[in-house]
Amino acid sequence: MAAAEGAPLTGVALAAAPEAAPAGWTAITVTVEGAAANLGKGFGHKGGGYLCVSTGGAQAAPGPVVTDVQVLSDRSPQPAGYTRAPEFPEPRTVVSRKKRVYVKLLPLDTAETAVFDIKLSSKSKALPHYMKIGEMGSFAIWCKKGPVLKSSPQPVPKPRTISAGLRQLSLQPSASDQKSPGARGSVKRASQHESLYDASNIYGLSAMDGVPFTLHPKFESKLSSGSNAILADLNVKSLADIEKEYNYAFVVERTAAARLPPSVC
């Protein structure tokens, strides 16, 4: 079944005249061929009668929608789950009609399909994509059904969980480690890295984490004698000393460039 455009109908009724339809209702005044859609004097009023439809308009909360329409004779029993279409103005009880219109209404949340449009035509006319529901007077009545589009609820993101492997790489102690006797030492070591690395994920770990720092033996004696002993071996050169030491005149390159190619006899 193809999806229907627009909003589903929220009501189907009968009106003695187009102006008798209350606010929110639209009278079907012409057929698909362009003829007047007056159902005739058999409706019970001198001026005839018209089918009316309602789409509900802008509603704060979605109400029931029309899921089916049936046109039956006055001798047929009322179908289960259907209500008789209202009439505007309210008819007298003495008025008899050969045909009656019954409407099935369901809440929008439970309706799978709904009626989106109703048209009238001559009895010999066929309307594509429409289903014939009956005849009244000299007209055939057609309805167009389609699936009800319902808004899906917004997905709720699931909370992220840290796997056991990533939890073992974290520098932060677990609840069980904090209760152990050596928890204080581990907490102290972990706090030393918090200012430099983010221990909440594996990308905050450094390649030097856990590697102890030791000084080379050749520098231990100088370090113990003071910082001046280390600076004594440093040879500070000025810019002139550096230029003199690394001065290169490019004599070989210039001589090679100045040679003339051998003449050809």
Side-chain angles (χ1 to χ4, degrees):
M1 181 180 298
E5 298 180 356
L9 301 183
T10 56
V12 178
L14 296 165
E19 59 272 14
W25 292 82
T26 303
I28 304 175
T29 57
V30 294
T31 64
V32 293
E33 296 92 350
N38 192 333
L39 297 177
K41 295 182 180 181
F43 180 75
H45 299 275
K46 295 182 179 180
Y50 296 86
L51 274 176
C52 302
V53 295
S54 172
T55 56
Q59 299 181 0
V65 295
V66 179
T67 59
D68 192 28
V69 181
Q70 292 189 18
V71 179
L72 304 176
S73 66
D74 56 352
R75 297 181 180 181
S76 301
Q78 180 172 329
Y82 288 74
T83 58
R84 187 171 176 178
E87 300 179 7
F88 310 118
E90 291 296 330
R92 299 178 182 179
T93 57
V94 296
V95 177
S96 61
R97 294 170 180 79
K98 295 182 179 180
K99 293 293 181 68
R100 295 176 179 176
V101 180
Y102 295 95
V103 181
K104 186 176 183 180
L105 298 172
L106 287 178
L108 181 62
D109 296 338
T110 60
E112 297 295 334
T113 60
V115 178
F116 286 80
D117 191 20
I118 290 181
K119 292 184 181 296
L120 274 69
S121 71
S122 61
K123 293 183 179 180
S124 59
K125 180 75 173 180
L127 299 184
H129 309 296
Y130 281 75
M131 180 178 63
K132 187 176 181 179
I133 58 177
E135 297 178 355
M136 289 189 72
S138 59
F139 304 103
I141 304 177
W142 305 80
C143 76
K144 185 177 184 180
K145 291 185 178 182
V148 177
L149 300 179
K150 303 175 184 179
S151 57
S152 57
Q154 295 293 334
V156 179
K158 296 182 179 180
R160 296 183 178 180
T161 58
I162 302 177
S163 62
L166 293 180
R167 190 178 294 107
Q168 293 176 359
L169 294 175
S170 177
L171 295 178
Q172 295 179 351
S174 60
S176 59
D177 294 338
Q178 293 180 358
K179 297 179 181 180
S180 61
R184 295 183 180 180
S186 60
V187 172
K188 183 177 181 180
R189 288 192 300 270
S191 61
Q192 296 176 356
H193 297 275
E194 290 179 355
S195 59
L196 297 178
Y197 306 106
D198 181 12
S200 61
N201 54 68
I202 61 175
Y203 300 102
L205 300 178
S206 171
M208 296 301 296
D209 287 344
V211 179
F213 174 78
T214 58
L215 192 62
H216 196 274
K218 66 179 289 186
F219 298 104
E220 290 182 355
S221 60
K222 297 181 179 181
L223 184 63
S224 60
S225 60
S227 59
N228 294 331
I230 300 177
L231 297 178
D233 294 339
L234 298 179
N235 185 14
V236 180
K237 295 183 180 181
S238 63
L239 180 59
D241 295 336
I242 296 174
E243 292 179 351
K244 182 179 180 181
E245 182 177 353
Y246 296 98
N247 185 24
Y248 185 68
F250 297 95
V251 177
V252 177
E253 288 79 4
R254 291 173 182 174
T255 303
R259 292 180 179 175
L260 297 176
S263 59
V264 179
C265 298

